[in-house]
Amino acid sequence: MTSNRRFAERVEKIDISGIRKLFEGAGPNAINMGLGQPDFDTPDHIKQAAIDAINDGFTGYTTGLGVPELRQALSEKFEQFNNFQVVPDDIIITSGASEALHIALLALVGPGDEVLVPDPGFVSYVALTDISGGRAIGVPLTDTFTLDAETVAEYITDKTRVLVVNSPSNPTGGVQTRDEIQGLCELANDHNITIISDEVYEHIIYEGEHVSPASISNNVVTINATSKTYAMTGWRLGYVAAPHDITEQMLKAHQYVQACANSIAQKAALAAITGPQECVAEMRESFMRRRDLLIKGLKDLGIECVEPKGAFYAFPKVDNSMEAVMKLLEAGVITAPGSAFGPRGEGHIRLSYATSDKDIVRALDIMGQVL
Ligand SMILES: Cc1ncc(COP(=O)(O)O)c(C=O)c1O
């Protein structure tokens, strides 16, 4: 159909997710190492809380900020686990970490403003900066796939408003050290730059420690979700904590775009955050076992790969991202091209090991034949 319809440039210029396009071309028996979600089901006690919420008729709008008990529980979680204090009224419950990122960027970034993002980094940072009217500037990573203050400093201009930090990282599995976080916080404070810290993989960490920038600096927007920690990607439940003046601005965007997060998912999240945490440790152990299996297999094949310290992705080197991904797809393994995560991701593919041991072994066998 032809049409002379005009569209807004802020959306028209965004590329449709390269990763999704690839799934569509895959056969039904393909091994899926392209997906960014745990292959586990949501734990039963969390599901039960949602069923109870429905049966209790908890089906109306909640306040815009979100259910008070959930924000209280998150305030305690931030203090105990992330080592910083935030009052429940400076926490907004969102529709996934995605919406939290969106409202943070809408609140902080305007036309011409620059947002420093890790390159390679999670695809939404660039797209949501574009939608906000700002300009994303990719910053190269260290050899261990982290951001360091010295390199970030080279990319700061008088237009820089935000620095996005994501540890553990999608797509590389890199984990920032405490010293690196300290350096980034000092640099950001010196230049009056707000850090947006995306911590959705905080519990999926095998080496090193998780350090929240908000435990060091107060000019930080902390973003998180139940999606990855509790195998709840489809529930669409995230949260964001920030200094009060930023929360006030984000809340306006949230109220008009979203009204409130899903009431039932909020009750499920309350059970997730306040309930037994063994499920989190069990999933982490499974991911770690699979990581070891995959990394050893890649090593045996002579494929170079930095050992991921967190999340559930490996980011091995290949000659040409797209060519490798297409060859693997034809042979029945779905992966993602490193170039989808920024120009500096070229020369890599992203493998998600949130899949069964059996599929990892099969995929390694195919990689040995194809790459
Ligand atoms: C680093 C990172 N941040 C945010 C998200 C989005 O999370 P949610 O599903 O809670 O919107 C993802 C999902 O893949 C991610 O990898």
Side-chain angles (χ1 to χ4, degrees):
M1 190 178 84
T2 54
S3 127
N4 55 5
R5 212 187 320 275
R6 284 175 57 234
F7 293 100
E9 197 207 329
R10 64 177 172 265
V11 170
E12 209 176 21
K13 71 179 179 189
I14 296 171
D15 215 10
I16 188 119
S17 168
I19 306 174
R20 271 186 206 286
K21 260 189 275 181
L22 288 173
F23 296 151
E24 287 156 18
N29 296 322
I31 301 167
N32 198 341
M33 298 189 89
L35 266 185
Q37 67 176 339
D39 59 328
F40 300 106
D41 195 5
T42 305
D44 283 341
H45 68 282
I46 301 175
K47 288 192 206 168
Q48 191 57 51
I51 294 165
D52 292 346
I54 295 173
N55 287 336
D56 293 346
F58 194 72
T59 51
Y61 292 120
T62 70
T63 62
L65 284 173
V67 170
E69 305 91 288
L70 176 57
R71 288 183 290 110
Q72 177 63 41
L74 288 169
S75 166
E76 287 163 23
K77 177 244 175 221
F78 279 127
E79 179 154 10
Q80 285 157 19
F81 183 76
N82 303 95
N83 298 312
F84 70 90
Q85 291 185 338
V86 56
V87 295
D89 282 354
D90 286 335
I91 299 172
I92 307 176
I93 312 300
T94 57
S95 180
S98 301
E99 193 224 338
L101 280 167
H102 187 34
I103 60 173
L105 287 165
L106 279 177
L108 291 166
V109 178
D113 290 341
E114 292 177 354
V115 176
L116 300 180
V117 300
D119 177 9
F122 177 49
V123 289
S124 295
Y125 305 143
V126 175
L128 292 175
T129 299
D130 280 345
I131 289 176
S132 317
R135 212 171 133 229
I137 309 287
V139 179
L141 307 181
T142 63
D143 291 346
T144 51
F145 292 140
T146 57
L147 283 175
D148 73 326
E150 219 180 320
T151 312
V152 173
E154 292 170 26
Y155 290 80
I156 293 176
T157 71
D158 55 3
K159 298 193 181 106
T160 310
R161 295 290 318 281
V162 168
L163 166 66
V164 178
V165 178
N166 171 219
S167 177
S169 143
N170 174 10
T172 65
V175 172
Q176 300 280 149
T177 65
R178 177 172 290 276
D179 283 353
E180 284 169 339
I181 294 283
Q182 177 85 37
L184 294 174
C185 287
E186 284 166 14
L187 179 73
N189 281 336
D190 287 349
H191 292 84
N192 199 20
I193 292 168
T194 303
I195 290 180
I196 294 183
S197 178
D198 177 347
E199 306 186 9
V200 295
Y201 297 103
E202 67 178 350
H203 286 288
I204 309 174
I205 191 160
Y206 320 110
E207 276 164 58
E209 55 176 335
H210 177 69
V211 182
S212 294
S215 65
I216 296 170
S217 158
N218 56 17
N219 192 4
V220 178
V221 176
T222 304
I223 283 170
N224 213 323
T226 52
S227 307
K228 317 282 175 173
T229 305
Y230 300 99
M232 291 176 69
T233 50
W235 296 73
R236 311 308 307 131
L237 200 288
Y239 50 96
V240 50
H244 186 66
D245 57 334
I246 301 181
T247 313
E248 265 182 338
Q249 300 304 320
M250 290 194 295
L251 183 60
K252 287 189 273 179
H254 172 69
Q255 281 186 329
Y256 290 109
V257 171
Q258 194 67 29
C260 66
N262 177 303
S263 61
I264 296 149
Q266 290 191 62
K267 286 287 190 180
L270 180 61
I273 302 289
T274 58
Q277 300 297 305
E278 286 81 7
C279 52
V280 179
E282 282 164 20
M283 286 190 262
R284 179 177 45 238
E285 258 155 49
S286 298
F287 290 138
M288 186 159 153
R289 197 188 58 243
R290 295 160 179 188
R291 173 195 74 152
D292 294 346
L293 181 67
L294 178 62
I295 295 302
K296 179 175 180 305
L298 290 172
K299 212 178 251 171
D300 290 347
L301 291 173
I303 298 174
E304 225 180 298
C305 184
V306 174
E307 188 166 74
K309 295 195 168 89
F312 38 65
Y313 309 103
F315 205 59
K317 277 194 178 162
V318 293
D319 289 336
N320 177 310
S321 289
M322 211 54 197
E323 200 182 285
V325 165
M326 293 318 291
K327 276 191 196 164
L328 285 168
L329 189 64
E330 276 164 30
V333 186
I334 306 170
T335 61
S339 52
F341 302 95
R344 294 181 183 90
E346 176 48 46
H348 296 264
I349 54 173
R350 189 192 72 175
L351 303 174
S352 163
Y353 50 87
T355 184
S356 69
D357 295 35
K358 198 173 106 232
D359 276 354
I360 292 173
V361 172
R362 275 176 61 209
L364 280 166
D365 187 40
I366 294 171
M367 277 183 240
Q369 294 165 33
V370 169
L371 293 184

